[in-house]
Amino acid sequence: MTRPAISLGPLATPVRRSLNGDHPGETGTMLPPLIDHHVHLMIVGIDALADGNLAGAVDLGSPLDLVSAGRRRDGFPRVDYAGNFLTARGGYPVGRPWAAPGSVRELDAEPGDSRAALPGAAETAVREQQAFGASVIKVALNSAAGPVFDRATLAAVVAAARELDLPVVAHVEGDGMTALAVDAGVDALAHTPFTERIDDALIARAVAAGQRWISTLFVAGYGSTTPESERALDNLTRFRAAGGHVLYGTDLGNGEQPLGVNPAELALLIEAGLGASDLISTITDPWPRRSRAEGIATFVPGPPPAALDELPDWLATACVVPAEDLETL
């Protein structure tokens, strides 16, 4: 007996691909462009995702020369860049072998004197990231690895980014770091918190503030159950249930992962309570952009899956195509 296909929601449209020698009228599903909201091109290479199934990516930490070079590239994926990791003096990821030279910007503490006539270190650093092409600001709050910003300095970074209409995303790791990010008005977390259980009251505050959490569940255990993976899954499950805004992201460059859609990350999002239409929404969300790219689409060949647990592998067969190549059925 054939099971009925699951409902993919309003973002999915049955289509036929234009007739040509390679695809003679192939049928499938059209989706908006797929986006990985956490990658590191300084590790995998600036061209590693070209000609893959991602139409967009968000690079969360790179040297500024890579940012400026990347902004001049044509083709796909279309990448939004955070530029440097902004961190406290001696803070994470200073000294990490994977952090390319020039990818970390250490900031001294803000003096807290609002009467100062000259821009402080935080404002100067934020403006420099934007000048090189960054459309996101990344801060590192890792108390497990070293010093972190005090409240005044983090507030100064967030305020400077607000003036330029740039969202701030934080790497949070260690006790109290999620609370610090929520209190400061950070717009997004680069990872689902994995080193501490986030209580329901703090989750409610994060949701009320409109904070986004980028999933990166796979790298908390790489397919194995660990204390970190269990905490992350529990935190994201409760964040999602409370109405939190989840973004698909893999932290590509961190361990072995496919150069494109990672079915294991999607499977963990299903385990966290996302349904089929939710999964499609989180992997097609245009953040940090306000609208989706025009003129391109995702084409997934063949019939939609009949069960939710088949959806991740089905999505991994997608490709990027011109929207004009697809005819609605």
Side-chain angles (χ1 to χ4, degrees):
M1 179 178 178
T2 302
R3 292 177 293 177
I6 57 176
S7 173
L8 300 179
L11 296 177
T13 304
V15 292
R16 183 183 302 278
R17 198 168 181 184
S18 295
L19 292 171
N20 61 52
D22 296 325
H23 305 283
E26 185 178 21
T27 59
T29 301
M30 177 175 67
L31 301 172
L34 305 185
I35 299 170
D36 188 333
H37 298 88
H38 189 153
V39 305
H40 288 290
L41 298 182
M42 69 177 179
I43 298 175
V44 299
I46 195 169
D47 296 315
L49 299 176
D51 303 319
N53 52 18
L54 295 171
V58 186
D59 183 90
L60 291 183
S62 284
L64 292 179
D65 57 354
L66 185 148
V67 176
S68 58
R71 297 289 286 183
R72 295 193 297 269
R73 289 177 71 255
D74 293 324
F76 299 100
R78 295 174 177 172
V79 181
D80 286 276
Y81 292 90
N84 294 162
F85 290 82
L86 303 186
T87 192
R89 183 71 58 184
Y92 177 87
V94 171
R96 293 299 196 273
W98 53 262
S103 63
V104 182
R105 175 76 175 266
E106 299 173 81
L107 303 182
D108 293 318
E110 289 287 310
D113 184 359
S114 60
R115 297 169 298 175
L118 297 175
E123 181 179 351
T124 300
V126 168
R127 290 188 175 277
E128 182 181 36
Q129 308 312 303
Q130 187 199 45
F132 274 84
S135 53
V136 181
I137 298 300
K138 173 77 172 287
V139 296
L141 304 176
N142 186 345
S143 63
V148 299
F149 292 136
D150 59 25
R151 291 178 181 271
T153 305
L154 181 56
V157 172
V158 172
R162 289 277 186 277
E163 287 186 3
L164 300 176
D165 198 25
L166 300 177
V168 178
V169 58
H171 172 111
V172 295
E173 187 172 350
D175 292 346
M177 294 299 97
T178 300
L180 179 61
V182 172
D183 289 343
V186 165
D187 300 283
L189 301 187
H191 305 274
T192 299
F194 58 93
T195 55
E196 61 177 342
R197 185 182 189 275
I198 308 305
D199 65 41
D200 291 342
L202 182 55
I203 283 176
R205 288 172 52 208
V207 172
Q211 191 176 73
R212 292 163 166 82
W213 287 10
I214 301 172
S215 58
T216 71
L217 294 171
F218 176 74
V219 296
Y222 296 99
S224 299
T225 300
T226 65
E228 292 78 14
S229 70
E230 290 183 318
R231 282 190 211 101
L233 185 60
D234 172 61
N235 286 333
L236 194 68
T237 298
R238 291 182 295 111
F239 178 74
R240 175 68 183 84
H245 195 140
V246 180
L247 298 171
Y248 167 87
T250 64
D251 197 12
L252 180 65
N254 185 348
E256 286 292 324
Q257 297 196 62
L259 294 173
V261 173
N262 186 344
E265 185 70 35
L266 294 171
L268 287 165
L269 283 166
I270 292 172
E271 193 173 344
L274 277 71
S277 62
D278 300 324
L279 209 64
I280 290 171
S281 293
T282 195
I283 198 172
T284 62
D285 191 307
W287 185 91
R289 302 187 184 202
R290 290 185 169 85
S291 59
R292 294 186 172 96
E294 297 181 356
I296 59 169
T298 300
F299 177 73
V300 192
L308 184 58
D309 61 3
E310 298 170 357
L311 186 59
D313 287 332
W314 180 75
L315 284 170
T317 68
C319 59
V320 182
V321 300
E324 63 185 12
D325 285 1
L326 303 178
E327 175 187 353
T328 303
L329 294 175

